[in-house]
Amino acid sequence: MHATTDEGTDGLVGPAGQGCGERSALVALLKAAHPVPAVAVTAVSALLAAAVGLGPAAGAKAMAAVAAGQLSIGWCNDRIDMWRDRAAGRRDKPLALGALRPGTVAAAGLVALLACVPLSLACGFRAGAVHLGCVAAAWAYNLWLKRTILSWVPYAVAFGLLPAFLTLALPGSPWPPPWLIVAAGLLATGAHFANVLPDIEDDLAEGVRGLPQRLGRRGSIVWAAILTFASCAVVTVGPTGSVTGSGGVLIGVTLTMCLVSVAGPTALVGGRLPFLVILGVAGVDAVLLVLASRTQAAGQAWP
């Protein structure tokens, strides 16, 4: 008979029980790190790194820094939101379910944050300083700005400067063109407004009053559409200073999709359609950012 504690089967002390417990804890810890956005940001960063001309070694260092930063941000967010997630009955949150100890998540976040410092600086002092500023902005969002009218600022700063982190890691530490920083910042801010849509009523009930929550569902949809469209326009016009035929078509399609999300039938606009449409446009916009960066790198030296 296996030895157990009064806590049930979680107290198994045999090697098999320990292995299962360790694997379960690791899976729960990774889930608490918000793996989907963390992987998405790291993947987009990898594509941008290749587009701006970072070699394999430099690109790998940059991605290690981004991954560490994203893990620290995700664990910080879940630890801070633990009580709110429990009150909301979130079944997708390991901390809310009691599958992890709060101290474990807090320690993991701090370790990832500490690892992010040398990993970022390994890309060069200027590049590292910019990336650490991006991570600091995200932590400021988790700790405070999320519940204020300035909730959009960390998105604009952190993602707007992400292309700068990658170009500053190039030989000579060049800054990217202003249009690339503006486009990335607009895209991320629009995504912030779209991201709150599925949970905006719950956020208001729980006292989360960032700018999207203060504007309400309709206002958030409108601003998400405006900012996402503006990012598309900047990416299309920025590299050459003019609109090509294909660029004009792209702007028209983007505008149409944004208008549908804002002014579509009430039955659709009241559901998840605006969220899905705007995030879809944002995804296309992210691809455009990568392609525009590649065009800039191939056509001329970074300023």
Side-chain angles (χ1 to χ4, degrees):
M1 178 178 289
H2 292 294
T4 63
T5 70
D6 57 1
E7 294 177 348
T9 56
D10 289 342
L12 289 172
V13 297
Q18 289 179 350
C20 291
E22 291 171 359
R23 284 194 295 272
S24 298
L26 179 59
V27 170
L29 187 61
L30 291 175
K31 191 173 182 180
H34 296 213
V36 173
V39 170
V41 171
T42 305
V44 170
S45 299
L47 293 174
L48 278 172
V52 302
L54 277 180
K61 289 190 292 185
M63 291 314 96
V66 171
Q70 288 300 306
L71 287 172
S72 78
I73 294 162
W75 281 321
C76 170
N77 181 276
D78 253 33
R79 177 60 185 88
I80 290 172
D81 287 349
M82 179 183 70
W83 295 110
R84 192 165 66 90
D85 291 337
R86 284 183 179 176
R90 294 289 297 268
R91 306 296 298 175
D92 58 332
K93 298 288 188 176
L95 272 178
L97 294 174
L100 287 171
R101 294 179 179 179
T104 300
V105 177
L110 289 175
V111 169
L113 181 62
L114 290 174
C116 183
V117 176
L119 289 171
S120 298
L121 294 176
C123 300
F125 179 78
R126 293 175 68 186
V130 166
H131 184 248
L132 291 174
C134 295
V135 175
W139 272 69
Y141 173 84
N142 286 340
L143 294 170
W144 173 47
L145 293 175
K146 178 179 182 178
R147 291 167 287 279
T148 75
I149 199 171
L150 299 176
S151 62
W152 59 275
V153 173
Y155 281 83
V157 171
F159 288 96
L161 289 177
L162 181 59
F165 162 54
L166 298 171
T167 61
L168 287 170
L170 291 167
S173 300
W175 280 88
W179 63 263
L180 189 54
I181 295 175
V182 171
L186 288 170
L187 175 61
T189 307
H192 171 50
F193 282 94
N195 192 48
V196 305
L197 292 175
D199 302 315
I200 193 167
E201 288 80 12
D202 292 338
D203 287 343
L204 289 171
E206 295 162 7
V208 177
R209 293 187 56 80
L211 182 57
Q213 289 86 358
R214 293 168 190 251
L215 293 175
R217 180 178 177 83
R218 172 62 65 176
S220 293
I221 292 173
V222 170
W223 275 105
I226 289 173
L227 292 166
T228 304
F229 173 73
S231 176
C232 177
V234 171
V235 170
T236 303
V237 176
T240 62
S242 60
V243 180
T244 63
S246 59
V249 171
L250 183 61
I251 289 177
V253 171
T254 302
L255 178 59
T256 301
M257 294 178 69
C258 289
L259 289 175
V260 168
S261 69
V262 172
T266 303
L268 294 177
V269 174
R272 291 178 60 86
L273 179 65
F275 169 72
L276 295 174
V277 168
I278 291 172
L279 283 191
V281 173
V284 173
D285 221 4
V287 174
L288 290 176
L289 274 174
V290 173
L291 294 176
S293 300
R294 184 175 181 180
T295 299
Q296 173 77 31
Q300 64 184 73
W302 296 100

